[in-house]
Amino acid sequence: MSHGPEWHFAERPTIEHLRAMGYGFVAPAEHAGLRDSENQVLFRPHLIEALMRINGIDRASAEAAYGELAAINDNEAWLKVLRGDYSRKVSGHDTRLTLRVIDFLDPNNNTFTVTHQLRVKAEKTRKPDVVVYVNGIPLVVIEAKSPLNIKDKTGEAFEQIKQYEQDIPRLFFSNVFNIVTDGGALVLYGATGSSSKYYAEWRDPWPKLDADFPDTLAKGLWCLLEPPRLLDLIAHYTVFEKTEDGTIKKICRYQQFRAVNRIVERVIDGKHRQGLIWHTQGSGKSLTMVFAALKLKTHRTIQSAALANPNIMVLTDRVDLHSQISGTFIACGLPNPTPIESIKDLQALIGSGKDGHTALSTIFKFQGSKQAIPNSENWIVMVDEAHRTQEKDLGAYLRATLPNARFFGFTGTPVKKDDKDTYRNFGVAGESYLDKYGIDDAVADGATVPIYYTGRKTDWHVDEARIDILFDTWFAELDDDKLNEIKKHGVRLEDLVKHPRRIELIAYDIWTHFKAYAQPDGFKAQIVAIDREAVILFKRALTQVIADELQAEGVDAVEALARADAMSACVYSINQEDGKPSEDPVKQVIREELRANYVDAEAEKLAKKAFGRKGDDPQFLIVCDKLLTGFDCPIESVMYLDKPLKEHGLLQAIARTNRVSDAKKRNGLIVDYIGVSGHLEEALASYRADDVKNAMRDLDDLRSQLRTAHAAVVVMLKPIKRAAADKAGLKKEYDAFVKALGSEDKWFEFKARARSFIALYETLSPDPSVLEFTQDLKWVATFLLYGTQHFEKRQAFDQMNYSQKIREMLDTHLKATGLSVTVKLRHITDPDFWEDFDIEGKTDEDLMTAAIRKTTELRKTVSERIDDSPHQYGKFSERLRQLLERLESAQLGWADKLKAAEELAKDIAAEDAAHVNAGLSPGAYGVMRILTTFGAVDGAEDLAIRLEGLYTSPETAPNGWWEKDGLKKNLRQQVRSMAHHAGLTQLKDIPDQVEAYALKHFVDD
């Protein structure tokens, strides 16, 4: 068996590392003896022996249990089984017995094995690179991609895992997570079903150090698959979270694993009864608390008296945070969490003297409580936003009630330098944090996006040092009595900030910036106003600006106003003053609008949901205090700040923009109208400089990164002259650059640099700093289309991921230069497809371009055809591989390579028309090819026609049959019967294959 580079660089080292950790190796030759059939994935003998060994049951009972387990086809159900939630009747026992498939307490009592090239038979049979088994149950799939081929580490390995999950779902019923690796610098993992954006590196090998490992692969595999760690991940660090959009499987990140294990160690050790955890906002702090509760409650891998039956209390100091954390605990299916609704409920629960509770409460429920409860040492208290709970004696009441409890404080922002209370109540002498995961850590891991800021100075910029002078200038039109009345009370910052002309100018600037920066990619924004009155002023001004623009575009005035109004929603608290009449007409109007725009709790929930949905209004949330903490909305990419925030308030507010969304969101942006960013050091002076140095980065940093990325691209372009404006000239430049790059390695290096340059350009656009790079961007982005066809023989999809901000510009450029024709891929059914094969009058460069384009098109065509009808078109797979090899051959000229492509194209076209010669419909012909694969000869055409009729007749296959399990089963039984009467023997596989074909070809859209 010959092995390619993937085996040498990735697969083999992966297997060797796992063997060194104690995994047994199962060679592909042993697969048949361990499985019931090729479409089964459990290793039967391993699982049966484990059931007998771990549970002390007889073989017959273990075999019966194996039969039940083999029928489980749900990932969440399998996780429960893995954790010991499975029971059945066993001989010798009157009642059902809980059967464990894993021994968590004794890792050595389990069989850890690794295999590769496991052939899983299905309609599309697949062979994953490496599969990790425990006790005969497949738990982890590893996709290995050679660094020689996959320089771009974003796509193919993840697509491969997705393909496996789709094509051979049986292998993923019991799966816990997947790994992709190139054997070198890349080891990423993600839970079953995760999209590529949720795959992450396990950067910290705690309690070991990076230096303890020879390379990244060894470190990554040890962190995730070292037997006791793998068991810990299964037992305590995997949850299914129920959301409105469905159930999402989540697995911990390294900082969550590290923090929770440090908490558990501290509880068991008993030396210290507290600890402080700072995990920056957006990094999954609520989930860390869930994992901590899960491990403290179930502690499947640990036996300790300290964890016998603990009580857990999770405390917050805000109703919205309480709802958020309670929601997360309940959604993650934690054992019996009890949300506490009143002081009375709390006293009843903690005073019951019973153990085993998980209580979720706000700290305010402890107000006035001074009586110590008898079993307080059995309580483990996790306090969210710990620094805030020290205020107003709340911390004192809490500790008076639970004097001997263990206290773990969590915070999403760093603790201030001078905050002695938080350190005293949650910290340990000489230890600042029990666990720290700072702003830079989260950005480096891709857990959050970096936040940049830019100051926008209007003509009405507020300078606090000149407040009186500005007031006299701005309010000169007021009469003397009014001026004197305001001055008597003292001129305040709010008076200046809310000047109507200033608000109008900023509203116009916000709309102009938002349209160019966030809206093209579907992102949204928050506007933070100085107070509730300012919220109304912004709402009024923004609605007017948008309505004026819509009217200028020809929209009717009434509709324009309605549409503009829907684009923003105000969220603020109600005030009893709002209902009072005022003699001041300006105040009276504001109060009326405060009542009109107020949204109650239910309406606020709906507004937040709509804000979180792409394409739905509102596009803006206008706030002053609410939604600046605990509001998690990945779609928000920009915050327009017109409120002088500092310290904790500033860190909390700006973090609304740091959540990860799709690939187009590379950062959060704070557009500052109030001057906070000009005094950033001052605003954050109460924190340690190291803790907050990158909380907000100046947009100038990004501008200089763009200049650097541009220089890195330009230096590679030096060997060629670039001056052409027409198609012929540009194509010559592209061909010259292809030659200059020469090797595939150089191409991948250029592609990486080009993508970095384009990404930075997109991020900054529409900032004027990008304009000097626009021409080079057009050249480079278009060359990526050309280069991908040339070096990789496939279509480039980069442009689909580009921001809308530049996609239109590039499309225009492609059309204007005529290059859209050069890089366009045609379908085999397009009459123009065949023009490329005409070699007359073509230069060698033209022949090369044609041969490469035709091969790229054929690769796409073959892939689509095989996907559509594997039995009919599978034979072209090998032909395509040979064509790709010929393209690399130095012995053949470009005319010969083009000729080979033409022969393959003609044969595919002939196969497309084969049903006509056979006198069959395309559908019946496709079914006949399935039948002939299973040995049908005589009467195959007749049987194919009848089977097509079975799936297309309203009598046997009424509309919607594909969604009804009973109907599908009945149709499969009929196929089995007809195949049997025709003398065919593989009666299990044939109905499955015919149904899969019917689902693709006989389903009404």
Side-chain angles (χ1 to χ4, degrees), residues 197-198 449 523 614 634-635 659-665:
K197 71 176 176 183
Y198 293 117
V449 296
F523 293 122
K614 206 165 190 165
I635 205 167
R659 303 312 195 258
V660 173
S661 181
D662 61 30
K664 295 186 185 78
K665 184 177 176 183

Side-chain angles (χ1 to χ4, degrees), residues 71-109:
I72 297 173
N73 60 3
D74 176 76
N75 195 245
E76 192 173 356
W78 254 112
L79 182 64
K80 287 177 179 165
V81 169
L82 295 173
R83 287 177 171 169
D85 184 9
Y86 167 63
S87 63
R88 73 178 318 278
K89 288 295 293 269
V90 170
S91 50
H93 293 265
D94 295 333
T95 56
R96 291 170 75 89
L97 203 63
T98 295
L99 297 183
R100 292 174 298 143
V101 296
I102 292 176
D103 189 338
F104 286 109
L105 286 170
D106 181 5
N108 295 321
N109 198 25

Side-chain angles (χ1 to χ4, degrees), residues 205 208-214:
K208 290 194 174 192
L209 303 169
D210 284 359
D212 295 330
F213 299 94

Side-chain angles (χ1 to χ4, degrees), residues 36-241:
D36 290 342
S37 64
E38 277 199 332
N39 64 359
Q40 296 295 324
V41 295
L42 296 173
F43 286 171
R44 182 187 178 111
H46 291 188
L47 181 49
I48 288 171
E49 282 153 24
L51 285 163
M52 292 165 64
R53 182 175 66 248
I54 295 168
N55 302 289
I57 58 173
D58 64 294
R59 181 170 292 277
S61 297
E63 285 178 351
Y66 164 85
E68 280 184 3
L69 294 170
I72 297 173
N73 60 3
D74 176 76
N75 195 245
E76 192 173 356
W78 254 112
L79 182 64
K80 287 177 179 165
V81 169
L82 295 173
R83 287 177 171 169
D85 184 9
Y86 167 63
S87 63
R88 73 178 318 278
K89 288 295 293 269
V90 170
S91 50
H93 293 265
D94 295 333
T95 56
R96 291 170 75 89
L97 203 63
T98 295
L99 297 183
R100 292 174 298 143
V101 296
I102 292 176
D103 189 338
F104 286 109
L105 286 170
D106 181 5
N108 295 321
N109 198 25
N110 301 294
T111 306
F112 291 85
T113 51
V114 57
T115 191
H116 72 121
Q117 301 302 316
L118 180 80
R119 188 171 191 272
V120 182
K121 197 169 177 188
E123 186 209 340
K124 290 179 190 160
T125 298
R126 301 284 179 202
K127 278 199 289 188
D129 292 337
V130 178
V131 184
V132 170
Y133 277 79
V134 177
N135 297 334
I137 304 165
L139 299 182
V140 182
V141 171
I142 305 176
E143 182 60 20
K145 283 292 171 207
S146 155
L148 295 181
N149 289 338
I150 308 299
K151 302 290 163 55
D152 164 26
K153 301 182 177 80
T154 55
E156 201 168 328
F158 300 111
E159 285 166 12
Q160 195 76 67
I161 291 279
K162 277 268 154 281
Q163 190 86 56
Y164 293 151
E165 287 180 339
Q166 181 185 301
D167 294 347
I168 45 171
R170 193 180 289 275
L171 183 62
F172 295 88
F173 292 156
S174 57
N175 177 277
V176 181
F177 59 91
N178 299 307
I179 295 173
V180 298
T181 179
D182 66 351
L186 180 82
V187 180
L188 302 174
Y189 73 104
T192 323
S194 287
S195 64
S196 60
K197 71 176 176 183
Y198 293 117
Y199 273 68
E201 183 184 5
W202 193 291
R203 277 202 308 142
D204 180 9
W206 176 90
K208 290 194 174 192
L209 303 169
D210 284 359
D212 295 330
F213 299 94
D215 53 44
T216 307
L217 180 64
K219 179 181 102 171
L221 293 173
W222 181 85
C223 288
L224 293 160
L225 297 175
E226 189 253 349
R229 286 172 75 95
L230 175 58
L231 297 190
D232 200 9
L233 288 171
I234 297 166
H236 310 120
Y237 293 98
T238 308
V239 291
F240 286 85
E241 187 168 357

Side-chain angles (χ1 to χ4, degrees), residues 389-400:
T389 59
Q390 305 318 300
E391 301 156 10
K392 299 177 189 163
D393 296 333
L394 289 169
Y397 288 128
L398 171 64
R399 283 160 198 277

Side-chain angles (χ1 to χ4, degrees), residues 2 23 136 145 178 181 353 440 785 883 907 1004:
S2 67
Y23 282 77
K145 283 292 171 207
N178 299 307
T181 179
D440 290 348
L785 300 175
L883 178 63
D907 289 347
D1004 298 328

Side-chain angles (χ1 to χ4, degrees), residues 25 53 114 134 240 243 274 279 412 444 470 510 516 703 715 773 795 820 934:
F25 177 63
R53 182 175 66 248
V114 57
V134 177
F240 286 85
T243 71
Q274 57 197 46
H279 282 192
L470 288 175
I510 285 173
R703 294 177 186 121
V715 76
F773 306 112
Q795 189 172 6
S820 52
F934 288 107

